[in-house]
Amino acid sequence: ARAILRNEAGTQMDSNPFNSIALSCFGHVLGYVFQEHEAAGKLLERAVKLNPAQAFAWDHYALHKIYTGDYQAARRAAERAVTLGAYSPISYTFETTLAMASALTGDYDQAIMAGRSALNKQPRFMPTQRYLMIAHSARGDREQAETLRDKLLTVDPDFQHGDVQEL
């Protein structure tokens, strides 16, 4: 699968080396799926340099920074994605990434604001619910955290499975 992806990535990049969305998608797959973070980082950095006004590219760059543990850089990139993509039909995904990065940097108030905004647009988006639950829990808002946990268990019963919790 890696060889196929690399071949396809090469073909796509040769035919259109200035497509920041394609670069972002390939970079995300390389990092998230194949754990090839160095190669992913290069593609994602190229994507945001090629089109610094592309919210999707900044969002995927932020996700990459989360996966590699650079939470401050992730937060800055996520904030930029949210600003640039405010009117995008997928703005809830950008807000979710901001909620993730904010929770990981310890800014639970920002995580909750971003998470609530995302859930107002897409109430069943499980990644948002997970990080909103974490932020509420970290802030000591037990009732809100438990309510979110119960919602997650309704839409994703495997969420309580030991292997899933460990991951």
Side-chain angles (χ1 to χ4, degrees):
R2 285 180 196 212
I4 293 170
L5 177 67
R6 284 186 181 276
N7 186 38
E8 180 62 24
T11 301
Q12 289 296 321
M13 296 309 107
D14 288 344
S15 66
N16 188 357
F18 304 107
N19 186 331
S20 63
I21 292 181
L23 286 168
S24 299
C25 290
F26 286 125
H28 184 71
V29 170
L30 278 175
Y32 183 72
V33 177
F34 295 117
Q35 304 295 304
E36 293 188 21
H37 295 295
E38 186 175 333
K42 289 177 183 176
L43 286 176
L44 291 159
E45 287 170 9
R46 184 172 165 200
V48 296
K49 285 178 184 171
L50 281 172
N51 190 349
Q54 178 50 256
F56 185 86
W58 282 104
D59 181 68
H60 282 65
Y61 181 73
L63 289 168
H64 170 71
K65 290 299 185 180
I66 287 172
Y67 305 148
T68 59
D70 189 350
Y71 304 134
Q72 293 296 338
R75 184 170 171 179
R76 288 188 302 273
E79 288 170 344
R80 190 162 188 176
V82 166
T83 300
L84 292 169
Y87 300 104
S88 168
I90 61 169
S91 63
Y92 69 94
T93 64
F94 309 148
E95 291 166 335
T96 296
T97 303
L98 179 57
M100 294 165 66
S102 296
L104 292 167
T105 59
D107 187 346
Y108 304 116
D109 293 337
Q110 175 69 36
I112 289 169
M113 284 187 354
R116 284 182 181 160
S117 181
L119 287 181
N120 282 335
K121 297 170 185 167
Q122 187 57 263
R124 293 177 51 101
F125 197 51
M126 288 185 289
T128 310
Q129 292 177 30
R130 289 185 192 111
Y131 275 87
L132 193 53
M133 179 186 69
I134 290 166
H136 277 299
S137 179
R139 204 169 74 169
D141 304 333
R142 185 181 178 107
E143 187 176 323
Q144 291 95 329
E146 288 177 351
T147 298
L148 284 159
R149 179 204 59 209
D150 294 343
K151 284 182 184 178
L152 279 166
L153 291 173
T154 300
V155 295
D156 185 10
D158 288 338
F159 187 65
Q160 66 186 348
H161 190 274
D163 293 339
V164 172
Q165 289 182 357
E166 185 177 326
L167 287 172

